Amino acid sequence: MPTEKKQKSSIWGGRFKTGPSDLMQEINASISFDKALYSEDIQCSKAHAEMLKQQNIITHEDFTAIQNGLNKIHSEISNGKFPFKVELEDIHMNIETRLAELIGEPAKRLHTARSRNDQVATDIRLYLRNQIDHLDDELKNLQKNLWKKAKENTQTLMPGYTHLQTAQPISFGFHLAAYIEMIGRDRQRFQDCRRRVNESPLGAGALAGTSFPIDRHLTAKLLGFERPMPNALDAVSSRDFALEFLSIASICAVHLSRLAEEIVIWSTDRFNFIRLSDEYTTGSSIMPQKKNPDAAELIRAKPGRIIGNFISLATILKGLPLAYSKDLQEDKEPLFDTQKSLSISIATMSGMIADMKINAVAMRSALQKGYPTATDLADYLVRNLEKPFRDAHHISGKIVALAEKKECALEKLELEEMQKIEPKLDESVYNVLKIDTAYNARASFGGTAPKEVKVRLAEIASRFNLADESN
Ligand code: ARG
C-alpha cells in the first residue's frame, strides 16, 4: 500500500523533492522520549546564543529575542502547553521550529556554528550530570537510614551465614554496615564517572569543528562543564560516558538486589527476623493472611532491565564508525529507563529500611540452632591445647556431630561427653561455647564485636559525611 507523502522538512528539506513516508517518519522520530531533555536543550541553546553574541556572530537584538523566545518555550513545555510535533522528529527541531514561530528570523540564526550532533551530546551530558547528583543524594539518604539502623543494632545478635547456612555469630548492625560500604563505593564510582560526563562537546559542530570564530571555553564555562572536549570528532561520536553510567548503575542495582533478597528472606515466617511496614508491603487478592514484600521483590528484579540497558547501549556502540550515525539516537531510552528504575529502587529501599522492625528474639534463637561457636571451639583447642588448626577443626566437628545427635546446643553438652572426644578439655571450654563471648571476641579490625563496629560506624559516618545529620 503506498504511503501518503508528507510535507518536506522545514529544517533539512532543501534538497528533497518529497517528504518522508509515514514509516520513515515513525522510525526516525525520537520526540516521544527525547522531550525529557527539553530543559537541557534550552540551557544548551541559551549558552550557545550567549557565546554567538559575545563573539559578534549574532547581534545583541537577535540574542535578546532568542533568550525571550526560549524562556517562553520553557514555560510552555513545563505547563504542558507545547505543541509537540512528530514530523519535527526530535526535541531540538521542535524547539527550534517553535522559536521561529515565536520570534521569526533571529531563530534561524541560532543554529549557526552548531549541529544537532554536538547539541544532543551536550544535552545528554547535562542530563546525566543532574541525574548523577540526584542519585548521589538518594544513595546518601539510603546510607543514612542504614547507618541509623546499624547503630541501633550493634548488640543485636543474628546468625552470619555462608552458603545461607549458619556460620558465625554477627550483629545485625554489622550486617547492615556491610551495605553502607557497598553503597559508598557506588557513590564513589558515580562521582568518578561524573568527571568524565562533565566535559563540553558543544561547538564540535557536525564532526570537524567550525570556521566561525566561536569560543568553546566560554560555552563550557556557561554550562558548568570542566572544559571543552579537545577533539571534535570524539566529542560527537563518543558515548562511553553514558555506557559508564549504565555500568555503574548496574553494579549499584545488583547491590540493592542483594539487600532486597535478604529482606525477602528475613521477612518470611520461617526466618521472621524483620517485619516490614504496611507501607512497603501488599496483600493478596485471595489469601487474607498475606503480607507480601513486593517492593523488595521489585528491587530484586530491577537489575533485569538495568543490566539489559547496559547491554543494549554497548551493543549499539559496538562496531559503530565515527562520527555520528542515527544509531546513537537509541542511547536515550536505556539511559532514561535506568535512571528511573534505579532512582525508585534506592528511594524505596531507603523507606523500607527506615520503617522495618527488628525481631531480636527470633534472630537469637535462629543463631542458637546453628552451632555458630564451632569455629571458636576449634580456635580454643589451638590456643589452649596447642593443637594444629586442622586437628582442632576435626575435633570440633566431632563435638558438633555429638550435639546434633543429642539435639542440643554445644554449651549444653556435658564435659564428660566432650572429653570422650578430647580428653584434655576442661570447664574453661564453656566460655568459648557461649555465643556472646564468641561474638565479643571478634574484635579484629573490621570484625563484628560491638566495640569494633561502633568505631567503624563512627569512621564511615565521617568518611561519607553521614553523622552530623544522622545523630
Ligand atoms: N535526535 C537525534 C539523536 O538523538 C539528534 C541528532 C541528529 N543528528 C543527525 N545528524 N541526524 O541522536
Side-chain angles (χ1 to χ4, degrees):
M1 198 173 65
T3 53
E4 191 199 325
K5 295 281 182 288
K6 294 279 174 220
Q7 266 199 332
K8 294 197 288 173
S9 169
S10 58
I11 304 262
W12 47 253
R15 57 105 71 215
F16 286 77
K17 286 205 185 68
T18 66
S21 70
D22 286 349
L23 280 174
M24 180 60 217
Q25 194 170 291
E26 195 180 329
I27 196 172
N28 202 32
S30 53
I31 189 62
S32 64
F33 50 88
D34 68 12
K35 60 181 167 199
L37 295 174
Y38 80 90
S39 203
E40 288 82 358
D41 197 65
I42 289 172
Q43 192 186 355
C44 170
S45 289
K46 281 181 168 178
H48 184 64
E50 167 84 42
M51 181 279 293
L52 292 178
K53 178 196 69 177
Q54 292 206 24
Q55 297 299 104
N56 294 319
I57 300 170
I58 61 171
T59 64
H60 193 86
E61 292 68 46
D62 284 351
F63 166 72
T64 310
I66 290 170
Q67 289 285 82
N68 294 340
L70 288 173
N71 286 340
K72 174 135 197 339
I73 290 172
H74 194 283
S75 66
E76 283 180 355
I77 301 181
S78 24
N79 296 328
K81 299 244 157 64
F82 187 89
F84 286 112
K85 292 189 182 132
V86 76
E87 59 275 21
L88 291 172
E89 287 184 36
D90 57 24
I91 188 63
H92 324 294
M93 301 209 319
N94 267 273
I95 291 180
E96 194 185 313
T97 308
R98 179 73 184 137
L99 189 63
E101 279 169 19
L102 292 172
I103 65 165
E105 171 96 359
K108 298 192 200 165
R109 301 190 197 283
L110 174 60
H111 213 54
T112 315
R114 180 177 80 167
S115 151
R116 272 189 294 161
N117 297 350
D118 55 340
Q119 188 178 355
V120 73
T122 307
D123 291 1
I124 304 170
R125 284 171 182 270
L126 290 171
Y127 165 83
L128 271 188
R129 191 178 68 190
N130 279 339
Q131 297 309 329
I132 288 173
D133 292 346
H134 172 69
L135 289 170
D136 187 65
D137 286 346
E138 285 182 330
L139 286 170
K140 185 172 180 180
N141 192 39
L142 173 57
Q143 277 188 312
K144 282 183 185 174
N145 288 354
L146 286 165
W147 191 87
K148 278 183 211 151
K149 275 280 179 302
K151 193 103 199 281
E152 289 159 19
N153 288 287
T154 56
Q155 313 268 7
T156 311
L157 282 178
M158 70 178 277
Y161 297 99
T162 60
H163 313 267
L164 207 52
Q165 309 273 330
T166 301
Q168 293 175 353
I170 61 171
S171 72
F172 190 62
F174 176 68
H175 197 120
L176 293 183
Y179 284 101
I180 309 176
E181 295 285 355
M182 290 154 78
I183 302 296
R185 288 193 296 277
D186 293 330
R187 287 183 65 196
Q188 288 165 343
R189 272 185 280 268
F190 276 125
Q191 285 314 309
D192 195 42
C193 169
R194 191 187 191 282
R195 291 193 294 120
R196 282 175 288 280
V197 168
N198 200 27
E199 297 186 332
S200 178
L202 195 58
L207 74 165
T210 173
S211 55
F212 286 98
I214 61 168
D215 183 350
R216 291 193 56 206
H217 291 274
L218 175 60
T219 44
K221 193 163 157 238
L222 290 170
L223 293 169
F225 286 119
E226 198 55 40
R227 57 170 189 162
M229 294 180 73
N231 180 294
L233 191 58
D234 174 46
V236 291
S237 314
S238 296
R239 294 291 184 273
D240 51 299
F241 68 96
L243 200 54
E244 191 179 351
F245 173 82
L246 293 178
S247 77
I248 295 166
S250 299
I251 296 173
C252 181
V254 165
H255 287 162
L256 295 176
S257 175
R258 294 182 75 170
L259 178 53
E261 166 66 353
E262 303 215 269
I263 288 174
V264 171
I265 294 173
W266 293 337
S267 64
T268 56
D269 49 13
R270 283 299 175 93
F271 271 75
N272 197 23
F273 285 4
I274 58 165
R275 184 114 56 90
L276 296 173
S277 75
D278 287 1
E279 292 191 37
Y280 290 97
T281 45
T282 60
S284 154
S285 59
I286 172 169
M287 297 164 285
Q289 84 282 14
K290 293 298 280 292
K291 197 171 174 196
N292 296 325
D294 292 36
E297 288 166 349
L298 287 164
I299 296 170
R300 184 174 63 184
K302 288 293 183 199
R305 59 203 296 164
I306 293 175
I307 296 169
N309 290 332
F310 169 78
I311 306 274
S312 167
L313 185 60
T315 312
I316 290 163
L317 295 178
K318 185 212 149 292
L320 199 65
L322 308 186
Y324 183 86
S325 298
K326 198 64 177 243
D327 310 49
L328 290 178
Q329 180 164 284
E330 296 279 315
D331 63 354
K332 286 165 207 65
E333 285 169 293
L335 286 174
F336 297 163
D337 184 68
T338 283
Q339 156 59 26
K340 187 167 160 234
S341 308
L342 187 61
S343 171
I344 193 159
S345 297
I346 303 167
T348 310
M349 181 60 88
S350 287
M352 232 180 347
I353 296 286
D355 276 16
M356 75 187 183
K357 296 274 171 290
I358 315 301
N359 184 347
V361 176
M363 287 185 186
R364 186 176 260 273
S365 79
L367 185 55
Q368 250 131 11
K369 287 185 200 125
Y371 314 110
T373 53
T375 318
D376 302 85
L377 175 56
D379 289 351
Y380 168 90
L381 295 167
V382 170
R383 254 194 306 263
N384 295 45
L385 305 184
E386 284 164 19
K387 299 274 182 200
F389 183 76
R390 279 283 150 248
D391 296 347
H393 183 286
H394 198 72
I395 296 164
S396 176
K398 282 184 154 178
I399 294 175
V400 167
L402 177 67
E404 212 167 27
K405 198 165 135 216
K406 303 198 72 179
E407 294 182 11
C408 70
L410 289 177
E411 70 264 38
K412 293 279 155 23
L413 289 170
E414 302 288 341
L415 184 59
E416 297 78 62
E417 296 174 296
M418 289 194 269
Q419 282 171 335
K420 283 188 194 134
I421 295 166
E422 175 45 60
K424 289 195 203 135
L425 280 173
D426 62 35
E427 284 288 338
S428 66
V429 72
Y430 287 102
N431 288 334
V432 297
L433 294 181
K434 283 196 205 105
I435 287 168
D436 295 81
T437 329
Y439 131 91
N440 277 302
R442 289 204 168 77
S444 54
F445 183 97
T448 192
K451 65 173 184 198
E452 174 61 13
V453 173
K454 279 177 195 154
V455 173
R456 298 274 75 82
L457 282 174
E459 186 275 319
I460 198 169
S462 77
R463 190 166 12 121
F464 287 102
N465 212 3
L466 309 173
D468 44 346
E469 300 131 280
S470 312
N471 274 328

